[in-house]
Amino acid sequence: MCSIAGLYNKKLGKDSLQNSINKLNSILSHRGPDKSTSYFDKNTSFGMGMNRLSIMDINSGDQPFISEDSRYVLIFNGEIINAEEIKKDLIQKNIIFKSNTSDTEVLFNFIIHMDGLNKLQKLNGMFAFAFYDSFKKDLFLVRDRFGIKPLFYYFKNNEIYFASEIK
């Protein structure tokens, strides 16, 4: 079990945003006691964080996953059961993986290189994730079709808050 959380609120300054994300991570720390991390967009009042319970890819599975050009960011809670199958398709597209066992890395590359946000039906597993395109300022919140991994969100007045628990 891990947790993800984030928010966009243009009324918050940089320090308030960081404090808010740190507070969200703290509230959800029981879901992932191994490591707490965060991401903040340099140009907007957007941030997200996650708490990790290290089960798979213990040594190199830390998040958020950020693309080399810093455009894409992913935080992920769950398990992609058919990650090996998807990974084989990505390898055929000459995608190189840093880890042998990270389903998060597979998901990240699936979204970027295989138009994965439009092919979510290919994912088999239990998951909730936030994928952010920092160039377009697009945020995608996704959960598995049965809601095994919860994802709650609140949207009002062009502000958004999301988390793995309603707290």
Side-chain angles (χ1 to χ4, degrees):
M1 182 166 57
C2 297
S3 71
I4 63 172
L7 66 95
Y8 168 78
N9 183 335
K10 63 184 175 184
K11 297 174 192 167
L12 294 178
K14 181 180 177 181
D15 290 339
S16 295
L17 177 65
Q18 288 179 346
N19 289 338
S20 295
I21 294 297
N22 290 340
K23 185 175 181 181
L24 287 169
N25 273 350
S26 178
I27 290 168
L28 298 172
S29 65
H30 65 280
R31 294 180 63 96
D34 294 328
K35 191 162 191 181
S36 181
T37 55
S38 54
Y39 164 83
F40 300 96
D41 187 307
K42 294 179 225 167
N43 302 313
T44 63
S45 296
F46 173 73
M48 57 186 181
M50 73 99 49
N51 291 300
R52 184 164 187 237
L53 175 63
S54 301
I55 297 172
M56 294 180 64
D57 199 24
I58 294 168
N59 296 322
S60 60
D62 289 340
Q63 300 178 41
F65 265 62
I66 302 173
S67 61
E68 288 183 22
D69 63 0
S70 299
R71 177 176 182 170
Y72 302 112
V73 184
L74 172 72
I75 55 175
F76 167 67
N77 172 27
E79 180 181 0
I80 305 299
I81 295 169
N82 63 333
E84 282 300 316
E85 174 187 325
I86 294 169
K87 185 175 183 178
K88 287 177 186 174
D89 293 340
L90 287 160
I91 289 170
Q92 288 180 348
K93 292 181 172 282
N94 297 317
I95 305 303
I96 298 170
F97 288 84
K98 296 176 184 171
S99 166
N100 290 327
T101 58
S102 175
D103 58 346
T104 306
E105 186 179 15
V106 171
L107 174 62
F108 188 64
N109 283 294
F110 172 71
I111 293 168
I112 296 169
H113 300 290
M114 293 181 69
D115 192 25
L117 291 171
N118 289 314
K119 299 176 182 174
L120 293 171
Q121 70 277 7
K122 285 191 165 203
L123 297 177
N124 182 8
M126 52 182 178
F127 52 84
F129 65 83
F131 182 81
Y132 181 62
D133 181 333
S134 68
F135 289 9
K136 292 183 178 180
K137 306 301 183 207
D138 286 340
L139 172 66
F140 297 89
L141 300 175
V142 179
R143 62 151 211 183
D144 63 84
R145 36 188 94 62
F146 297 110
I148 296 169
K149 294 294 181 180
L151 182 60
F152 298 92
Y153 67 93
Y154 173 80
F155 181 78
K156 187 175 182 180
N157 299 327
N158 205 29
E159 297 172 10
I160 188 161
Y161 302 81
F162 65 91
S164 297
E165 290 184 9
I166 205 160
K167 294 178 188 179

